[in-house]
Amino acid sequence: PVVTSWLQLVEASRTLMPTLAPPDLAALGESQLDLLAQLGHRSATFRMANPHLASRFLDVKFEDLVANPIAVVQQVYQHIGSKLTYTNIQDMQAEAQALRNAHEATRKGEVAPVLTQAEILSKFKVDEAKLDEKFHVYRTYYKSYV
């Protein structure tokens, strides 16, 4: 989900810059895949080399975030020694409801459907083999999270 979300974000941000030519989606996919893979590799390498810093990190599974975002955010706040306010929780609940409403509208065909991950990867000419190759170190280190 991170790769596909990132690719869509970069594409959308480029369309907001009228001075830029429309992006070559294959080239954009390749360059952004390289960037994300490098970041993931550096993260995993740093953590492997510094196990004494493990308590400073909090790993969050995407599925947990989707299933119960408020609980995960509370966990993050607790990890950094901060407190989540009632107003923060209300704001998150309102945003979660807006997302559920948008999802329901898509499901009912009231708005254009969201592309699947496979469709997004195809659009940017990225395949699973390329993902496996680029994210091998990251996926090995974070195997319980991906």
Side-chain angles (χ1 to χ4, degrees):
V2 171
V3 171
T4 52
S5 295
W6 180 258
L7 289 173
Q8 290 183 301
L9 176 65
V10 172
E11 178 190 23
S13 66
R14 290 199 41 137
T15 63
L16 298 174
M17 299 177 210
T19 57
L20 295 176
D24 171 346
L25 295 182
L28 187 64
E30 185 71 25
S31 69
Q32 295 306 305
L33 194 62
D34 285 343
L35 172 68
L36 290 174
Q38 184 180 51
L39 291 172
H41 181 76
R42 286 181 178 177
S43 165
T45 302
F46 178 84
R47 289 184 66 180
M48 286 186 279
N50 295 282
H52 60 284
L53 299 176
S55 66
R56 294 187 182 186
F57 297 97
L58 176 66
D59 295 316
V60 174
K61 290 185 178 182
F62 178 76
E63 294 79 10
D64 294 343
L65 182 61
V66 170
N68 196 344
I70 293 172
V72 169
V73 172
Q74 285 176 319
Q75 186 182 13
V76 170
Y77 271 66
Q78 182 179 11
H79 185 78
I80 64 170
S82 192
K83 190 165 186 133
L84 192 59
T85 68
Y86 180 72
T87 302
N88 295 138
I89 293 171
Q90 283 182 310
D91 290 346
M92 285 188 294
Q93 287 171 331
E95 184 63 29
Q97 186 59 52
L99 290 169
R100 284 191 293 276
N101 293 344
H103 178 72
E104 183 63 17
T106 300
R107 191 185 67 72
K108 290 180 177 178
E110 296 168 0
V111 295
V114 176
L115 295 175
T116 66
Q117 288 188 52
E119 290 169 332
I120 295 165
L121 292 174
S122 176
K123 176 180 171 181
F124 289 91
K125 309 292 188 253
V126 174
D127 60 31
E128 283 296 325
K130 200 177 283 188
L131 286 174
D132 289 341
E133 172 195 333
K134 300 273 187 186
F135 289 92
H136 175 73
V137 171
Y138 177 86
R139 288 179 170 176
T140 299
Y141 182 79
Y142 296 103
K143 64 182 162 235
S144 65
Y145 288 88
V146 293

